[in-house]
Amino acid sequence: VIEAQLEVGRGPVATIIVQRGTLKKGDAIVAGPVSGRVRALFDDDGEAIAEAGPSTPVVVMGWDEIPTAGDMFEVAKNERTARKMAQNKVGEIRALELTIPTATDRLGHLIERLRTQEHSELRLVIKTDTHGSLEAIRESVGKISRDDGFVTFVHAGVGGVTTNDVSLAEASGAIIYGFNSRPDASARATAKIAAIDIRTFSIIYELLDDVESLLVGELSPEEIENFL
């Protein structure tokens, strides 16, 4: 599903690209937790068509609700099967929401632990652009402390933030810091699923201030980054 919206007179519609097979009017359809039946197909000129083959972009009308952009689109054997597939997806999404905290929730629990425990350990995964930056940050962060509180480096290296860094942070309960180092698309996706906080800085003093704030149990302002 490329995009989806609610249109006056048409109801929920979605723009999709057929990858395999032929999509026909009357087919039972499902995309993520949303199902339906193809009531009409429109090509890129807005003209009604009867079917769409591979590599064809087409607007589909006939959804029960508005599907989500990015969900995989499938044709089911019948409407009953499509509804069952959609309901199963709803169950999976709810299960994930119940079991996996968000990055904000995870950070909130960490802050509470650092604030209340007598012996607090802040675990970090550090990635920088150069070895010189890495050594400077390790030395400076090593000087940050509080009574019965300390910082531990789970991993420190040079290069971009990778999925391995995210997995390591998840397993060890660490926060990832990037200094002039950014996560790739795969690492961002993995971090979102695992609710791992990746904090990036280009000024070393801001990074150090952030580490110190976390160690004493203070939550710094949240920055939201939109990737274009």
Side-chain angles (χ1 to χ4, degrees), residues 8-27:
V8 177
R10 288 186 176 181
V13 300
T15 301
I16 63 103
I17 293 181
V18 179
Q19 290 183 313
R20 293 185 304 273
T22 301
L23 178 65
K24 302 175 182 178
K25 186 176 178 179
D27 282 343

Side-chain angles (χ1 to χ4, degrees), residues 126-139 156-158:
I126 301 283
K127 296 302 286 285
T128 67
D129 56 341
T130 66
H131 286 285
S133 299
L134 179 62
E135 291 307 315
I137 289 174
R138 289 187 63 145
E139 183 177 351
V158 175

Side-chain angles (χ1 to χ4, degrees), residues 52-107:
S55 301
T56 304
V58 62
V59 174
V60 179
M61 187 174 74
W63 299 94
D64 295 334
E65 300 176 32
I66 302 174
T68 302
D71 279 349
M72 293 301 293
F73 168 93
E74 294 181 74
V75 171
K77 183 169 62 175
N78 51 48
E79 284 189 84
R80 182 178 179 181
T81 302
R83 283 195 297 269
K84 186 175 181 180
M85 292 170 65
Q87 289 170 358
N88 290 340
K89 190 64 177 179
V90 170
E92 292 176 8
I93 292 172
R94 287 177 178 170
L96 285 173
E97 289 175 347
L98 290 173
T99 58
I100 299 179
T102 64
T104 302
D105 292 336
R106 190 186 291 270
L107 185 59

Side-chain angles (χ1 to χ4, degrees), residues 2-202:
I2 306 302
E3 61 182 25
Q5 64 273 339
L6 186 65
E7 291 188 1
V8 177
R10 288 186 176 181
V13 300
T15 301
I16 63 103
I17 293 181
V18 179
Q19 290 183 313
R20 293 185 304 273
T22 301
L23 178 65
K24 302 175 182 178
K25 186 176 178 179
D27 282 343
I29 50 177
V30 60
V34 181
S35 62
R37 175 176 286 276
V38 179
R39 287 167 44 203
L41 297 171
F42 302 93
D43 63 16
D44 53 350
D45 291 323
E47 298 294 330
I49 57 177
E51 59 182 37
S55 301
T56 304
V58 62
V59 174
V60 179
M61 187 174 74
W63 299 94
D64 295 334
E65 300 176 32
I66 302 174
T68 302
D71 279 349
M72 293 301 293
F73 168 93
E74 294 181 74
V75 171
K77 183 169 62 175
N78 51 48
E79 284 189 84
R80 182 178 179 181
T81 302
R83 283 195 297 269
K84 186 175 181 180
M85 292 170 65
Q87 289 170 358
N88 290 340
K89 190 64 177 179
V90 170
E92 292 176 8
I93 292 172
R94 287 177 178 170
L96 285 173
E97 289 175 347
L98 290 173
T99 58
I100 299 179
T102 64
T104 302
D105 292 336
R106 190 186 291 270
L107 185 59
H109 294 323
L110 172 63
I111 294 298
E112 184 63 25
R113 177 169 58 81
L114 291 172
R115 184 185 294 121
T116 57
Q117 289 185 353
E118 292 184 5
H119 299 281
S120 299
E121 178 187 13
L122 176 60
R123 297 170 183 163
L124 304 180
V125 172
I126 301 283
K127 296 302 286 285
T128 67
D129 56 341
T130 66
H131 286 285
S133 299
L134 179 62
E135 291 307 315
I137 289 174
R138 289 187 63 145
E139 183 177 351
S140 299
V141 169
K143 297 177 181 178
I144 298 175
S145 64
R146 68 163 221 207
D147 292 341
D148 298 320
F150 57 94
V151 177
T152 298
F153 289 99
V154 176
H155 174 66
V158 175
V161 178
T162 66
T163 53
N164 288 337
D165 297 321
V166 175
S167 298
L168 183 60
E170 182 182 15
S172 61
I175 291 179
I176 299 175
Y177 276 92
F179 180 72
N180 288 330
S181 174
R182 311 192 64 77
D184 56 29
S186 179
R188 286 198 302 269
T190 305
K192 184 176 181 180
I193 294 172
I196 297 299
D197 201 26
I198 300 178
R199 307 167 84 85
T200 57
F201 294 89
S202 57

